[in-house]
Amino acid sequence: MTDLLYSEEEEALRAAVRDLLADHCDAPGVIARTESDTPHDREAWKALADGMGLAGLLVPEAKGGQGATHREAAVVLEELGRAVAPVPYLTSAVVATEALLACDADDLLADLATGRRIGALAVALNIAPGTAYKVVRHEDGRLRGELTGIADAAVADVLLVPADDGGLYAVDATAATVTPQVSLDLTRPLATVTLDGVPGRLLGDAEPAVRRALTAGAGLLTSEQFGLADWALTETVRYLKERKQFNRPVGGFQALKHRLAQLWLEVVNLRAAARNAADALANGEDVEVAVTVAQAFAAPVAVHAAEEALQLHGGLGMTWEHPAHLYLKRAKADSIAYGTAGAHREALAGLVDLQAP
């Protein structure tokens, strides 16, 4: 039986990441950044990737990484979700890195692991593992086409692009035209990538690399969703203990206690599902089932938690200055990232041979 409890090392990692994010990603700073032309926090990314070496957690030491597992990466993502940190960790250190691990591209892998470069898999953020994705044309050694909904493409140095010949190509981001799209979640902006006859370096077969990357992305996204939901619950409880109405704390009213108790149950169940998905990815056992179960459960809980935080903070929660809206937007965007909960429930039914009525 696998132990899903956090180890001492994981708790120490959590404390270090939380301290770093407290210095770099305070709520007013994140809100101000979403209103600027540079939503990504490069300083926070440099501190995470270069200072702490966290970009290379999933990369073996022999290839220039830390040689850790998905369990440690999940702890980092919990804290990034708790801070709604505008850094490309999930897209570069998890998804792009997993795609490279499936190919023979040790030089690129080392660059991503050390944080020297940021990678982005040029597959739309809403694509679920194992489903069809858009490709570009490969003609005479050059790539042509347009791909939309690419998360964190604006900050990427290298794009990993699937082509119609079945290959996955590395493209220098400066050779592509990256156009920002209107994104609900301003802390993880989307972009359209246009390739107009640009050269690409063949890395390997796209299909297994993309499937592996999206599976890891979907599984570890649930840890981010748990961190987000846990922040929403914790902050709401804290606020309701302090806020008084009729000369008593608002949190003392029974109807609100019931709502918070229900939310607490959902959040602790989400933690179990997210931990199980991270552990399955680390061990390579029952990965598809663990990931689809976690994804099917995570989105509704994260959205519910963010909605409750916004509503139970009353008028304060409706203001731009309070960060509740950042969490709700991230939760809503995450709810369609790497497949919707409904798509994962459908996939799960097939995996466990459960026939539709």
Side-chain angles (χ1 to χ4, degrees):
M1 182 71 181
T2 303
D3 185 0
L4 297 183
L5 296 174
Y6 299 101
S7 66
E8 284 185 25
E9 291 81 6
E10 287 166 352
E11 290 293 8
L13 174 62
R14 176 195 308 288
V17 175
R18 190 174 293 192
D19 284 349
L20 185 149
L21 293 174
D23 292 338
H24 285 277
C25 289
D26 63 314
V30 175
I31 292 170
R33 199 168 282 285
T34 64
E35 298 174 294
S36 72
D37 294 332
T38 53
H40 291 95
D41 191 334
R42 288 182 177 272
E43 278 189 34
W45 173 251
K46 185 170 170 46
L48 286 164
D50 191 21
M52 295 181 69
L54 299 182
L57 283 182
L58 299 179
V59 180
E61 288 183 47
K63 296 180 187 284
Q66 304 297 322
T69 73
H70 298 81
R71 287 177 62 122
E72 286 80 16
V75 170
V76 174
L77 278 161
E78 285 179 21
E79 292 307 312
L80 294 176
R82 199 173 264 114
V84 206
V87 294
Y89 190 85
L90 183 67
T91 45
S92 182
V94 175
V95 176
T97 294
E98 286 278 358
L100 291 174
L101 283 167
C103 303
D104 187 21
D106 288 0
D107 57 330
L108 257 181
L109 203 53
D111 281 353
L112 260 61
T114 55
R116 281 195 298 269
R117 298 170 86 185
I118 295 170
L121 179 67
V123 171
L125 185 61
N126 66 316
I127 300 296
T131 60
Y133 50 87
K134 197 174 174 186
V135 297
V136 298
R137 298 190 308 283
H138 182 255
E139 301 169 350
D140 304 322
R142 294 187 172 267
L143 302 170
R144 299 179 188 276
E146 183 179 275
L147 300 165
T148 57
I150 312 303
D152 293 335
V155 77
D157 301 300
V158 60
L159 299 165
L160 309 181
V161 182
D164 59 3
D165 65 346
L168 185 69
Y169 290 84
V171 172
D172 189 327
T174 56
T177 304
V178 179
T179 312
Q181 289 179 243
V182 176
S183 309
L184 174 66
D185 177 12
L186 300 172
T187 60
R188 183 176 284 144
L190 305 178
T192 297
V193 172
T194 307
L195 305 176
D196 189 15
V198 304
R201 168 187 158 198
L202 180 63
L203 300 171
D205 292 339
E207 201 281 325
V210 171
R211 177 184 283 267
R212 174 173 174 170
L214 296 185
T215 300
L220 292 184
L221 176 68
T222 58
S223 290
E224 177 186 288
Q225 290 167 303
F226 162 65
L228 187 158
D230 195 47
W231 176 93
L233 174 63
T234 304
E235 282 300 302
T236 304
V237 169
R238 187 183 62 76
Y239 175 75
L240 293 181
K241 282 180 176 177
E242 294 173 358
R243 178 89 168 90
K244 286 193 166 62
Q245 203 170 41
F246 307 117
N247 210 28
R248 60 180 284 195
V250 174
F253 293 105
Q254 193 169 24
L256 297 189
K257 284 183 179 179
H258 285 175
R259 283 170 70 168
L260 292 170
Q262 176 60 38
L263 187 58
W264 180 82
L265 282 173
E266 292 177 15
V267 171
V268 293
N269 283 329
L270 172 53
R271 177 170 58 197
R275 289 294 290 167
N276 187 52
D279 187 72
L281 284 163
N283 296 323
E285 297 174 7
D286 291 329
V287 174
E288 287 191 22
V289 171
V291 168
T292 50
V293 165
Q295 268 293 319
F297 189 73
V301 175
V303 171
H304 181 214
E307 287 175 343
E308 289 288 70
L310 190 123
Q311 290 180 11
L312 295 179
H313 275 80
L316 178 66
M318 299 292 174
T319 64
W320 183 260
E321 290 73 24
H322 194 278
H325 64 93
L326 293 178
Y327 290 84
L328 181 56
K329 290 168 188 169
R330 172 67 70 90
K332 292 293 279 186
D334 281 357
S335 72
I336 59 169
Y338 308 118
T340 61
H344 284 282
R345 280 195 289 272
E346 198 171 318
L348 180 62
L351 288 171
V352 298
D353 198 25
L354 183 67
Q355 299 298 317

